[in-house]
Amino acid sequence: MRALIPAVAAAFLASSAFSAPPSDVGYDIVEGLTTEVGQRLAGTEAEARARNWAVARLKALGFANVRIEPFDMPVWVRGAETAEIVAPFPQKLVLAALGNSGSTPDGGITAEVVGFSSLEALKAAPDAVVRGKIVFVSHRMTATQDGSSYGYFGAARRTGPSIASNKGAAAILIRSIGTDHHRVPHTGVQNWTDGATPIPAAALSVPDAEQLERIIARGKPVQIHLALTPRMTGVHPSGNVIAEVPGRDPKAGVVLIGGHLDSWDLGTGAIDDAAGLAITTAAAKRILDGPKPKRTIRLVWFGAEEEGGFGGDAYAKAHGAEKHALTAEADFGGDRVWQFRTHFADPKAPLLAELTTALGGLGVGPGSSPAHGGTDIGPMVQRGTPVIDLEQDGTRYFDIHHTADDTLDKIDRAQLNQAIDAWTAMLRVVVDTADPLAALPPQPQEN
Ligand code: ZN
Ligand code: ZN
């Protein structure tokens, strides 16, 4: 029978059912990375495989100086996670631990729930109300095109656990920082601040959070049994993968672009952030295939963004003293670019008019607020590097963000290609502009 297997396999592969789509640099990166690596949690063996995949792909595309720049980071991994309402209406809840969550003892914990409709309400609560309880924060976020609601509502995830811990809570559950109504929880990072002791911290799916709200509103004491077994595994290597389009004039400064290679562990990281890698890499590849630009493009596939921007910090530490003409990152999914923003030393820089002309043809106009970049390029922006944000449509981004649903089928190829066109138009201008791109004064560190 053994001899038959290759023949059967060959016949199967020859059928058109699984044939590959036509070659396309951007889409092929998302498809390849999500299929051949899958999830790539920061600091794990999966992220190391992703780095090797990245090096092979970037070399194959013809980029110069392709290399890995390693750094170390503390690594958190998910364990088992279950929750159920024990009283008054017994039923299971769907949840996912938040990054750096503490764990419950063996067998889990059972405790009374105390609910808050916002992070402000939790902050205002006396410690005695919270002590020994499972805190539930049901802050609800709505979708916006620019994604700006994430800044405010995301605080329930980023700082809620430390606030609850410092008030003596046994654990914290938050309503997912998401805009969908699927029974799929949204994970994401939180950090223990102000000396907070790690406690179990998890996000309920939006329907589960709404169910718990209704049960609490019935007015009877609510008991939950919670078992979470994530753990810190120690300090392990992560790394940035770097590739370049060499420029003619080393004194003109580097154009730093990229996205992040790591993903959360629940989905396969298609929109967050294989799409950003695809957009920036496909655009840089078009410059690589054209006349040699004045400025060098440095493309970075940053490691360990999700767990706290370790890759961006490592990059700035290694390269912060080099002259950077400009920076931009793509970490907001795969949908179309609808607006651009800039932050230049000269608000009337000639480059602004050049960009307005180049992007206007794609239906992308200038916005009214300054660009700020994201987590990966943030440390370079703080050092005064001029920055451009090509803002992508975020209307559906937080339906999928950090969930098991972040998979390849969510990529809209037409929108991905529009974003690549916009990035290409932007890069064509900035690599050769005569604008001196003066540095800005360093910005104070945000917290
Ligand atoms: Zn991201
Ligand atoms: Zn993310």
Side-chain angles (χ1 to χ4, degrees), residues 260 262 271-273 305-306 331-332 376 397 401-402:
H260 64 86
D262 67 307
I271 67 150
D272 187 12
D273 184 28
E305 187 272 349
E306 295 290 7
D331 186 13
F332 202 52
D376 287 316
Y397 185 66
H401 179 250
H402 294 181

Side-chain angles (χ1 to χ4, degrees), residues 50 109 131-132 159-161 165 213 236 248 294 326 390 446:
I109 57 168
R131 194 171 296 124
T159 62
S165 173
E213 271 185 62
H236 297 287
R248 303 187 307 270
K294 179 167 75 175
L326 186 118
L390 292 184
E446 271 181 50

Side-chain angles (χ1 to χ4, degrees), residues 182-205:
H182 292 277
R183 212 170 177 194
V184 181
H186 297 239
T187 189
V189 78
Q190 59 82 38
N191 288 295
W192 302 108
T193 54
D194 303 326
T197 306
I199 57 173
L204 293 170
S205 83

Side-chain angles (χ1 to χ4, degrees), residues 277-301:
L277 303 177
I279 291 164
T280 52
T281 304
K285 168 69 174 162
R286 289 190 194 163
I287 306 297
L288 181 71
D289 291 345
K292 194 170 191 177
K294 179 167 75 175
R295 296 186 175 85
T296 294
I297 297 174
R298 185 174 292 153
L299 171 68
V300 183
W301 291 19

Side-chain angles (χ1 to χ4, degrees), residues 183-412:
R183 212 170 177 194
V184 181
H186 297 239
T187 189
V189 78
Q190 59 82 38
N191 288 295
W192 302 108
T193 54
D194 303 326
T197 306
I199 57 173
L204 293 170
S205 83
V206 167
D208 286 86
E210 293 184 349
Q211 176 82 330
L212 182 55
E213 271 185 62
R214 284 190 297 273
I215 292 172
I216 291 170
R218 295 290 200 271
K220 293 180 183 152
V222 178
Q223 297 268 329
I224 284 183
H225 177 76
L226 177 68
L228 294 181
T229 61
R231 61 198 172 90
M232 301 299 300
T233 64
V235 172
H236 297 287
S238 178
N240 294 327
V241 181
I242 301 186
E244 291 178 347
V245 179
R248 303 187 307 270
D249 180 2
K251 293 199 192 78
V254 166
V255 174
L256 170 68
I257 62 168
H260 64 86
L261 179 57
D262 67 307
S263 75
W264 282 105
D265 53 340
L266 300 173
T268 60
I271 67 150
D272 187 12
D273 184 28
L277 303 177
I279 291 164
T280 52
T281 304
K285 168 69 174 162
R286 289 190 194 163
I287 306 297
L288 181 71
D289 291 345
K292 194 170 191 177
K294 179 167 75 175
R295 296 186 175 85
T296 294
I297 297 174
R298 185 174 292 153
L299 171 68
V300 183
W301 291 19
F302 290 92
E305 187 272 349
E306 295 290 7
E307 293 286 352
F310 291 96
D313 287 342
Y315 177 86
K317 210 170 154 193
H319 300 283
E322 294 168 33
K323 183 177 176 187
H324 284 71
L326 186 118
T327 188
E329 75 171 66
D331 186 13
F332 202 52
D335 285 350
R336 72 187 172 90
V337 174
W338 63 280
Q339 178 172 279
F340 76 96
R341 299 187 298 182
T342 59
H343 195 192
F344 299 150
D346 174 5
K348 292 196 166 66
L351 177 57
L352 197 53
E354 295 171 48
L355 287 168
T356 303
T357 303
L359 289 164
L362 295 163
V364 179
S368 53
S369 57
H372 47 67
T375 304
D376 287 316
I377 62 170
M380 293 307 300
V381 172
Q382 278 164 2
R383 281 166 164 78
T385 305
V387 56
I388 296 177
D389 290 343
L390 292 184
E391 291 183 89
Q392 293 174 248
D393 187 347
T395 311
R396 67 182 185 127
Y397 185 66
F398 291 106
D399 290 353
I400 303 159
H401 179 250
H402 294 181
T403 71
D405 251 354
D406 181 2
T407 49
L408 180 67
D409 49 296
K410 309 311 181 303
I411 298 293
D412 175 334

